[in-house]
Structures are given as structure tokens and as C-alpha cells.
Amino acid sequence: MASSGSNVFLVNLASKLGTEWSTLGLHLGLDWSRVNLLRSQHSHNLLEAIQAMLNEWWAGAGNKSTEEKKKRLISALRECGRVDLAEEIRKGRIAVPAQTARERSSSSDDSLDFPVQDSAGADTDGCRLPAGATANLTAGIQTLTIQPSDREPSPSQPPAYPIRSQVGHALIINNIKFPTMRGRNRKGMEKDSADLEVVLHRLGFSVNVKIDLSSYEMKDAIRKFINKNHSQSTCLLLSVMTHGKEQEAMGTDWKGVGMHKDIILPIVKSDNIPCPKVFIMQMCRGNDRDVGVSKVRWGVDDAAAVDAQPMEVTEDSDSDSSSDEEPSPELEAFQVDWSGVCSKLAPTDVDYIITWACAEGKVSLRSRKQGSVLIQEVVKAFDMYGRDEDVATLFERVRRNVAKVEANLREEDRETESIVKQSAETKTHLLGKLYFKSSSSSA
């Protein structure tokens, strides 16, 4: 049972935690089933659930010293995104219980693997003491003895998210046929979902592909995706490919699903998903489009990097919108999607990254034979670099190559060509580097 000192500390810490408490419990070593039980037992009182989880962990680690528990807690807080609380504990602003005399004696020869502060508040992280020297530094409420280290100081590196036993679950929703809107089918877009599925399988994801879902079926698929067991996943990935209208992604029944309200927010806020989230959205984000186009070819700028390949289309072209107007019959191959997306995606949580096909207010490009520009560049980047580079770097590569692709549009009544460009956009709320790896694949 926790002592009175630890009780005060844990109550104070619990009051500063929120919906990330279940993720913290997993990082502290509690079983997922136990975390779920605590959630159900205290379903009407979040604070009580958090306190129960912390008390159970503290009591279960009874054979560990106070200092060992403190280090474990700091590490777990950082892993679940609460770096602020980890720093408060490290710097003594949230006071942990004092060590007992026995603990001080047994730990006097142990060196710390996290930085502490001296009485003036200066961090000692990265400072190497001379051989044979020791330093007694006051960290908040107790004196810690640090032994000299033979390790050379290393430059500060961004933290990385933990690698779990499986890479994670991936859901691909690709709406191609729209029966209620004649002429709105996204012809040839099977290639996008098929290519993305292959490369995600190669990276170790468990992939589920859903084709042609109504608005209700889209919401239901996302609900079932949320309810999967993500406790042992390094991350999850969701890709939605469809038409758009204002702030909605369109189901095949031509009814909208809220991009933020119905897709992103339920996943980000879910207590059932402790891992980071990756979103890839293939749809446009505005109503500006080019009309009266007769010819198109895709190429890349002369300054393109060696890993950016040109894309050629020789058929007639098409502008594929989410409006209710019928497309011109001669426009069939060059297709454009778009969706208005909420301009204020205020994060309600951390640990997620979103990549859109294009910048806000713009159209995105896709070919009936070659797929969409965004998804095909994602496939190439993931296939070539997905095992080695972190997700943010992969999307930077994708954005760079998407920006190099261009559509040269020649109107029938003009001799000159107009160029349409595309710029993908990424918004990240990740607090560290995220890799598509599992503990088995990285061993």
C-alpha cells in the first residue's frame, strides 16, 4: 500500500493528467486489460481512474526504490507525450517522496541516467566530471550522488516514439463509384489503394482496404478501426481517398462525413489508441479548378531530384468536382478532387500527423491510369525509405516530389499551355521521431 507521502505525490500528479492517463499506464507496464478495467470501474470520475492507475503501479513496483520509480515515471511521461510533467518531476516542481535511509544507502553507488539540477538551477545533463570526481547535486527535495561517467557527451537528439511488438493497423478507404451522381466516378483509382496496400504490407502493417463506402459505412469502418487493439502497435495509419465538399469527405451516397468531426477527432481523442496516428488524405481542399481543357501531360521540373519520376498522360482531360453540375462529355481522363477542410485544426491531443494532397483552397491531381500524385509519391517514398527514415522525413520527401509534378494544360481555343502545380501539406503534432518499425523487425 502507498505511504502517505506517495499518496500526496500521486494525487498531485493525477490532477495534472487528462485523457492520456491510459497511455501512461501502458508505458508504466500495466496490462491493457487492467487499464480497461480501471476505466470501467471509474467511468464517471476521470480523476479517480487516474489515481487508481497510479496507486496500482506504485504499489506494484514496491520492490523498487523511490529513485527507480521516479526515473520510470519520467520516462513513461515522456513516452506518452507529457514532457512538461516529466520536466516538473525531474526539476522537483512536483515533489516525489523522499528516499528512506535504506534506499539512500543502497543507491549511493548508482549513477543516474537522467539530468538533475544543482541548487542554482543549472542542468548537469551532458556535463562530464573529471575522473575520480563526484558531485552532490540538490534536485528539488533530496541530495543525489552522481558518479563520474566514462561516456562522451552526445548532442541532444529528438526523442523517438517507442517501438512496439507490431508496426500497427492500417485502414484504407477508397471511394471510386458514386451511383447517385452520374459522371462522378473516380475512374482508375483502384490503383492508389492497391499500391498503398502493398507497400504498407511490406512495412509490416496489418492492412484493411474498404472500397466504395457510403457515409454511414465510412463512420462505421472508422468506429471499428478505433476499437481494434492498438496497445502493442508502434502507430496506426488511416488513408481516405474520395471526393470532397466544403468540410466533408463524400460517401458513395453523396453524403458528407466531417473531416475533422467524424474522421480525425474520434481517432485522436480515443482512449483506446495509445500509439501515434498517421493520416493521409487524398482529396482537394478548395473549389478552384481549370475548365475547358483538352490535353494534358504530367512531367517534372528540370531540377527534379533523381527519385522523382515523371508521370505522362496522353488521353483527354477531365475536371472532377463535388458540385452537382454534369461534367462535359469530352472530359474523361484528367480528374480533380477537392474538399474544404476546417482552417482551424486546433489539436485536442498530441501524437499525430496529417498529410493532405494539396494546400488549402487548391485542387489535387490524379490520372486514370497512373493514380493520384500524392498517393503514388507516398508509395514510392514508403517503399524506398520507409524502413529507415522517420515519418516526418518521409512526408517531407513526399511534399518535395509532389511539388515537382506539373500538369501542362492546353485549351482548345488557345495555342498556349497553362501549368497546374500541386503542393501537398503536412501538419504534425508529433513530439518525437516516429518510425514504421516493430520490435521484431528492428531486432
Side-chain angles (χ1 to χ4, degrees):
M1 187 164 178
S3 65
S4 60
S6 62
N7 275 334
V8 172
F9 162 64
L10 296 177
V11 169
N12 187 17
L13 177 61
S15 66
K16 298 176 182 293
L17 290 167
T19 57
E20 74 282 358
W21 72 273
S22 57
T23 306
L24 176 63
L26 296 176
H27 287 307
L28 288 172
L30 297 182
D31 291 336
W32 181 250
S33 59
R34 187 59 189 165
V35 172
N36 271 338
L37 179 61
L38 291 173
R39 181 189 290 114
S40 63
Q41 289 175 338
H42 305 278
S43 58
H44 300 295
N45 193 318
L46 177 62
L47 182 59
E48 284 184 3
I50 300 173
Q51 291 175 0
M53 181 274 292
L54 291 173
N55 283 327
E56 182 164 320
W57 164 72
W58 190 276
N63 60 331
K64 303 291 185 181
S65 70
T66 301
E67 198 55 48
E68 288 173 321
K69 294 177 185 177
K70 175 181 175 181
K71 290 191 288 184
R72 185 74 185 89
L73 183 58
I74 288 175
S75 175
L77 284 167
R78 285 173 173 164
E79 287 179 334
C80 76
R82 292 307 303 266
V83 178
D84 56 331
L85 291 182
E87 287 299 291
E88 286 192 44
I89 294 174
R90 183 179 72 82
K91 296 178 180 180
R93 294 171 185 158
I94 301 178
V96 299
Q99 286 180 303
T100 64
R102 182 173 60 83
E103 288 176 344
R104 287 194 296 271
S105 175
S106 64
S107 64
S108 60
D109 294 331
D110 296 334
S111 60
L112 300 177
D113 62 359
F114 62 93
V116 298
Q117 292 185 319
D118 60 19
S119 57
D123 279 335
T124 63
D125 188 21
C127 296
R128 189 183 181 196
L129 299 177
T134 62
N136 290 322
L137 304 177
T138 301
I141 66 169
Q142 57 186 332
T143 298
L144 306 175
T145 300
I146 298 185
Q147 296 290 346
S149 171
D150 293 330
R151 294 176 297 177
E152 292 293 336
S154 59
S156 177
Q157 296 292 333
Y161 283 96
I163 296 173
R164 299 304 185 191
S165 60
Q166 61 185 24
V167 176
H169 296 284
L171 173 63
I172 300 172
I173 298 175
N174 189 3
N175 290 342
I176 301 170
K177 297 179 180 179
F178 298 82
T180 62
M181 294 298 294
R182 184 167 59 91
R184 298 304 177 190
N185 293 342
R186 302 172 66 246
K187 300 174 183 178
M189 291 303 101
E190 297 89 347
K191 177 176 173 56
D192 275 355
S193 51
D195 290 351
L196 185 58
E197 179 185 11
V198 169
V199 75
L200 291 179
H201 271 305
R202 288 175 182 168
L203 291 172
F205 280 95
S206 174
V207 186
N208 189 10
V209 179
K210 298 288 187 180
I211 303 293
D212 292 341
L213 300 185
S214 67
S215 57
Y216 172 81
E217 290 170 334
M218 289 175 68
K219 294 177 183 179
D220 187 58
I222 290 171
R223 178 184 60 80
K224 291 177 179 177
F225 185 57
I226 290 173
N227 290 333
K228 285 183 174 291
N229 185 357
H230 300 276
S231 62
Q232 299 304 314
S233 297
T234 299
C235 65
L236 69 76
L237 186 146
L238 170 66
S239 179
V240 179
M241 312 170 191
T242 185
H243 285 298
K245 189 173 184 179
E246 297 179 350
Q247 299 179 20
E248 298 173 324
M250 305 305 292
T252 56
D253 55 353
W254 210 247
K255 294 181 180 178
V257 177
M259 282 290 298
H260 190 213
K261 176 175 67 73
D262 298 321
I263 299 176
I264 296 172
L265 195 59
I267 293 176
V268 168
K269 291 186 67 176
S270 173
D271 252 0
N272 193 49
I273 306 177
C275 59
K277 301 91 179 165
V278 178
F279 299 92
I280 303 174
M281 301 301 183
Q282 169 52 42
M283 58 193 70
C284 298
R285 305 176 66 193
N287 292 325
D288 295 335
R289 50 177 170 160
D290 293 301
V291 294
V293 179
S294 59
K295 292 291 182 183
V296 59
R297 65 180 185 274
W298 282 358
V300 291
D301 186 86
D302 292 339
V306 293
D307 57 356
Q309 301 298 322
M311 305 177 75
E312 296 293 338
V313 175
T314 58
E315 301 99 309
D316 291 340
S317 58
D318 185 22
S319 177
D320 183 14
S321 77
S322 60
S323 69
D324 295 332
E325 299 175 1
E326 289 294 332
S328 301
E330 72 275 9
L331 304 179
E332 294 181 351
F334 176 72
Q335 304 177 56
V336 184
D337 299 318
W338 59 88
S339 170
V341 177
C342 180
S343 61
K344 295 183 178 179
L345 265 180
T348 58
D349 204 347
V350 291
D351 306 328
Y352 66 99
I353 185 169
I354 309 171
T355 289
W356 282 286
C358 54
E360 187 173 359
K362 305 298 182 183
V363 297
S364 63
L365 308 177
R366 58 185 174 87
S367 161
R368 179 190 300 182
K369 288 187 174 181
Q370 296 177 272
S372 66
V373 176
L374 174 72
I375 298 300
Q376 292 305 312
E377 291 298 341
V378 165
V379 168
K380 285 190 287 185
F382 282 15
D383 191 40
M384 296 179 66
Y385 308 102
R387 296 163 186 81
D388 304 312
E389 295 182 346
D390 68 281
V391 175
T393 301
L394 289 171
F395 282 142
E396 179 183 341
R397 185 182 296 277
V398 169
R399 294 195 306 274
R400 183 166 60 248
N401 289 336
V402 167
K404 291 167 183 171
V405 176
E406 63 185 28
N408 297 316
L409 308 178
R410 182 189 298 275
E411 300 184 40
E412 290 182 347
D413 57 344
R414 297 183 182 180
E415 296 183 359
T416 60
E417 292 183 342
S418 59
I419 299 176
V420 176
K421 300 287 290 185
Q422 179 175 328
S423 176
E425 180 179 343
T426 299
K427 286 188 178 180
T428 180
H429 300 271
L430 296 177
L431 300 181
K433 290 184 176 293
L434 174 62
Y435 295 90
F436 291 146
K437 295 182 179 181
S438 65
S439 55
S440 57
S441 65
S442 60

